Amino acid sequence: MPAVTRPLRHATVAATVLLLTLGMSPAAMADRTGSGNGGEFGGGTGTDTSASGEREGDTLKSGVSGTIVFDRSKNGAGEATGAVTASSTSWTPPACYYAPAYTPKEIEAQMRQVWESSAPSPQWALKTQNHFVNGKPYKDFNKDKEGEGYWWDAYITEGRETDPASQECDELPFWVDEGAAPPADVPQAINVETLAQLAYAEIRVPSTEVELAPADTAKVNLPTWAWLDTADFEPVSVTASVPLLGLSATTTAEPVSLEISPGTDDAVTYPASGQCEIRDGRIGEPYAKGKADETPPCGVKYLRSSGDGSYKLQATVTWKISWTSTTGEGGDLPDGRFGADQDVVVQEIQAVNR
């Protein structure tokens, strides 16, 4: 998920109903309009705006006064930053979730527009009319509760439109009174843990290109020292909140180690594991004059020349990810990793014959 994009957007009811009626796949619709399908009634993703979902700065706005707000003021910044990848390959932030979306008047206006069009099938129109108007289970869009709650609908996390998990949020919009908990049988209803996971996807950390000595060309069988400027590796954080619900969660990433991968099997790393821990606030140690015979605390020794080319040394920083919230809940999320390749030219030591 690029840093310049935001993770969510709510699609218009009319667009989603048309999508369903015409039988177009969510992915195809997303390619054409930036809107996906969050379920039978559905929400969507993208960076476009719509009648019921638009952006102001870092706020995802729906028909109501605003759903998700991201505070990125303490996040990593700059062109060299990137998103972390969870070290646990089976873990990802949620593909979809439910959150406040409409007031009674807003959802009525959109649904009546759909019903008056030629798009919905008679069966679908009857089903939704029963749901919103005829008391199965709601009457007249809950207009008698205007100002006392919101209609909740499905949202899809950007980049997850074709993920089968995004189709698990397939409930029709449901009503939640202000201050009340969402239905217990809707596990994807937004909460502080979901917010923490969404904030995880927004974390950006600095580049991991390491300083090397020798800087220009490494020598066969001589240690190359590696280190990172720890001034660029302070903890970063993103806060995600839902002002309507008074919920907020802050996800923080803190660097814990650097892994060196030489780019060839003909090399040894220091330490042997390749894992350079952060000690005394720094990763590795800068080379200084007089240390040529010492073993670097973090580095690599190449055993063979790179010939006419170079080796791809990869430096990957592991970040410990944790979260806190306004409810007092919190804990750890899977560690995040972010790495970068850099070319290393390795030459044989030239002997001088007299």
Side-chain angles (χ1 to χ4, degrees):
M1 285 168 271
V4 296
T5 64
R6 306 293 181 260
L8 306 166
R9 183 182 65 83
H10 201 279
T12 61
V13 175
T16 306
V17 171
L18 181 61
L19 157 68
L20 292 164
T21 305
L22 297 180
M24 187 179 295
S25 71
M29 190 68 172
D31 288 341
R32 292 178 54 183
T33 67
S35 299
N37 174 25
E40 184 173 6
F41 192 72
T45 70
T47 54
D48 317 22
T49 60
S50 71
S52 65
E54 55 188 41
R55 298 193 175 281
E56 288 186 5
D58 283 347
T59 304
L60 167 68
K61 302 204 72 175
S62 65
V64 296
S65 59
T67 302
I68 303 275
V69 178
F70 291 100
D71 179 357
R72 301 178 180 84
S73 61
K74 297 180 180 179
N75 203 9
E79 294 181 359
T81 58
V84 295
T85 300
S87 57
S88 172
T89 57
S90 62
W91 184 88
T92 59
C96 68
Y97 61 88
Y98 295 96
Y102 306 103
T103 65
K105 289 182 180 178
E106 288 165 347
I107 202 167
E108 178 188 22
Q110 294 202 43
M111 285 309 305
R112 293 201 181 283
Q113 179 181 357
V114 173
W115 291 333
E116 290 170 3
S117 73
S118 59
S121 67
Q123 295 84 354
W124 193 92
L126 178 61
K127 177 180 179 178
T128 51
Q129 287 167 0
N130 283 337
H131 181 80
F132 291 110
V133 180
N134 299 331
K136 299 179 181 180
Y138 305 105
K139 290 185 177 180
D140 197 21
F141 299 99
N142 271 10
K143 285 190 294 184
D144 61 331
K145 289 191 172 185
E146 186 77 39
E148 299 177 10
Y150 300 97
W151 288 96
W152 288 40
D153 201 1
Y155 291 77
I156 297 176
T157 305
E158 187 172 348
R160 306 289 294 280
E161 300 89 345
T162 60
D163 187 334
S166 70
Q167 303 306 303
E168 294 175 1
C169 299
D170 58 0
E171 299 287 337
L172 287 170
F174 53 87
W175 179 265
V176 178
D177 288 329
E178 188 170 354
D185 60 350
V186 183
Q188 300 95 340
I190 194 130
N191 55 32
V192 289
E193 185 171 4
T194 302
L195 288 172
Q197 294 176 3
L198 294 173
Y200 186 116
E202 293 293 303
I203 289 287
R204 298 295 179 266
V205 296
S207 171
T208 57
E209 183 170 341
V210 295
E211 299 286 341
L212 298 173
D216 299 324
T217 303
K219 302 299 182 181
V220 171
N221 291 322
L222 288 182
T224 296
W225 292 57
W227 68 94
L228 281 168
D229 183 358
T230 54
D232 295 332
F233 283 80
E234 298 295 326
V236 299
S237 66
V238 172
T239 297
S241 60
V242 183
L244 286 173
L245 304 178
L247 297 179
S248 181
T250 297
T251 299
T252 300
E254 182 176 0
V256 292
S257 67
L258 168 70
E259 180 180 358
I260 296 291
S261 178
T264 173
D265 291 335
D266 293 315
V268 294
T269 57
Y270 305 104
S273 65
Q275 295 283 346
C276 304
E277 296 183 0
I278 296 179
R279 295 181 179 177
D280 300 325
R282 64 185 183 186
I283 305 174
E285 182 179 326
Y287 176 77
K289 187 176 181 179
K291 293 184 177 181
D293 295 330
E294 297 182 18
T295 298
C298 182
V300 59
K301 180 170 70 176
Y302 288 97
L303 306 178
R304 180 174 296 182
S305 166
S306 60
D308 295 331
S310 61
Y311 294 124
K312 291 285 187 183
L313 180 145
Q314 184 176 65
T316 302
V317 172
T318 295
W319 297 75
K320 178 179 174 57
I321 313 290
S322 60
W323 65 282
T324 58
S325 71
T326 49
T327 66
E329 297 171 79
D332 293 332
L333 292 170
D335 289 347
R337 291 166 57 85
F338 181 62
D341 292 339
Q342 58 196 93
D343 293 324
V344 177
V345 176
V346 181
Q347 295 179 345
E348 297 281 357
I349 298 175
Q350 298 299 316
V352 178
N353 297 318
R354 295 184 182 274

